[in-house]
Amino acid sequence: MARQRSGRTVQHAVLAARLQTLRESAGLSQKEAAEALGAHPATVRRIELAQTSLNAGQVHVLLTRYGAGPAEIDEFLSKLAAANLPGWWHPWRDVMDPWQLDLMSVESAARIIRVWDPALVPLLLRTPAYARAVDDVLRPELAAADRIRRAELLAERQKRLNDQQTRVWALMPAAALHTSVGSPSVMAEQIDALRSAAEDRPDITLQIHRLTGPPHALTGIPALSMYRVDVGEIPDHVVKEGGLPGTADVWDAQATITRYRLLLDLSCAAAPHPNKAVEELEIHRDV
C-alpha cells in the first residue's frame, strides 16, 4: 500500500532528478520512456518530479532503457528503500499547508535560508507561543489542537536547522516589535529569544529596519523565504507568501531566484548592521 503523501525527501528528489538526467542523456522523450513501462507519459513525469514513490520494477526498466549498466542499476536500486521512507515531518503532514510538503526536502538540504517578513517576526525565529498566537489570528479555521501541533512542527524545524548547521539570515521591520502578538508575556519572551539568537547564535544573522528609516527594496513586499541549496539535484527556491492564509507562490527558476536575491541584498544593505540588532531589541524590550 502506498504511504500517505507527505512530500518528497532529499533522497527521493535526488534519485528522481538522476532518472531525468539519464533519460535526457539517452536522448529519449518522456513518451519513449513511458513506452518501455507500458504506461502513460504522465507516469514518467510524476516519477521525475518525485510525486510518486519509486517502484523498483519500474526503475529497473527505465534504467535498462537508458543504457545503465548492471553496477549502476544495482547502486541505484540499493537507495530506493531510503528514498521511499517518509520525511521526518510525516507525523505533522495533516496540519501542514500543501505547498510546504515538497518544500521540506529543500529546507532539509539548505545551507542558507534568507527570510523577510513585512509585519511580524519571521517564521523561523518565532517562539512556539508567538507562532500559536499568530495562527490564532490568521488561521482561525484550524482547530486549537492543530495550531498547537503547527507550533510543535516549527520548533522541530528550528532544531533540525540548527543541527544541520543551516544559516538563517533574517530581515524584519522594527514595526514587528510594536505589533502586540498574544499577551505581553508572549511578546517579552519573543523579544528575549530574538536577543539571545542575535547575541549567541553564530548560525543566525538578524537585521532590523528602524521605524524611522527610509523605504527600502522590500518595502511593501510580502513575506519571503529564499533557500540556497548545496545539493546539485535540488535547485534554490524562493517562496512568497501574502495571499490567502495557507497559500504561497514557490519558484525554482534561476531568473526569479536572482531577482528576489537582488531585492534581499539591497534591503539588507540598507538595513542597520547585524551588530545593531541587540541595541534595537533593547529599545523595544520594555515598551
Side-chain angles (χ1 to χ4, degrees):
M1 180 181 296
R3 71 174 188 266
Q4 184 175 343
R5 175 165 166 74
S6 60
R8 64 191 180 188
T9 61
V10 173
Q11 297 93 326
H12 190 173
V14 167
L15 292 186
R18 282 183 59 189
L19 283 172
Q20 179 178 350
T21 299
L22 288 169
R23 174 181 61 77
E24 293 173 345
S25 297
L28 298 173
S29 66
Q30 288 185 341
K31 180 180 179 182
E32 290 170 320
E35 288 172 352
L37 294 176
H40 192 277
T43 299
V44 175
R45 179 182 62 80
R46 286 175 55 80
I47 289 172
E48 292 181 351
L49 292 176
Q51 293 178 343
T52 185
S53 298
L54 294 170
N55 176 276
Q58 289 182 327
V59 170
H60 193 286
V61 169
L62 290 174
L63 291 174
T64 301
R65 181 68 178 87
Y66 301 159
E72 185 176 7
I73 292 174
D74 288 345
E75 183 266 340
F76 199 107
L77 293 178
S78 70
K79 298 178 179 180
L80 290 190
N84 283 327
L85 289 174
W88 65 260
W89 56 91
H90 187 72
W92 290 278
R93 66 195 179 282
D94 56 319
V95 297
M96 296 173 67
D97 298 320
W99 62 269
Q100 291 181 309
L101 293 173
D102 282 335
L103 196 70
M104 294 309 297
S105 63
V106 180
E107 184 170 294
S108 297
R111 60 180 174 85
I112 300 175
I113 303 176
R114 300 181 66 176
V115 292
W116 151 256
D117 195 294
L120 299 169
V121 173
L123 179 64
L124 290 178
L125 298 187
R126 292 176 188 173
T127 65
Y130 185 99
R132 288 196 303 271
V134 170
D135 266 357
D136 286 344
V137 175
L138 299 185
R139 304 300 299 273
E141 79 280 7
L142 298 177
D146 287 344
R147 294 196 290 270
I148 292 172
R149 291 180 63 219
R150 282 166 59 88
E152 293 171 348
L153 169 63
L154 174 60
E156 183 65 20
R157 289 171 64 190
Q158 292 166 337
K159 176 182 180 300
R160 287 175 179 269
L161 288 172
N162 184 36
D163 290 345
Q164 70 192 39
Q165 298 183 321
T166 297
R167 179 185 172 195
V168 176
W169 185 355
L171 183 64
M172 60 179 284
L177 304 175
H178 287 269
T179 301
S180 298
V181 175
S183 67
S185 63
V186 168
M187 283 302 300
E189 179 190 44
Q190 178 63 75
I191 292 175
D192 285 345
L194 290 173
R195 175 175 176 172
S196 177
E199 285 185 323
D200 305 326
R201 295 279 300 276
D203 56 316
I204 291 178
T205 300
L206 176 62
Q207 290 183 264
I208 303 173
H209 277 288
R210 294 193 174 106
L211 282 174
T212 55
H216 53 90
L218 289 176
T219 298
I221 301 295
L224 293 175
S225 300
M226 176 172 288
Y227 297 81
R228 307 302 305 277
V229 182
D230 275 339
V231 179
E233 294 84 355
I234 300 178
D236 293 347
H237 281 62
V238 64
V239 179
K240 183 173 74 173
E241 301 178 62
L244 293 174
T247 65
D249 294 314
V250 182
W251 298 284
D252 62 6
Q254 186 57 50
T256 304
I257 300 293
T258 299
R259 286 196 294 268
Y260 279 104
R261 184 172 66 243
L262 177 60
L263 291 178
L264 284 163
D265 287 345
L266 291 171
S267 187
C268 287
H273 191 276
N275 63 18
K276 298 294 185 181
V278 171
E279 177 182 318
E280 190 70 26
L281 291 166
E282 278 294 315
I283 293 172
H284 298 281
R285 176 61 179 82
D286 298 318
V287 172

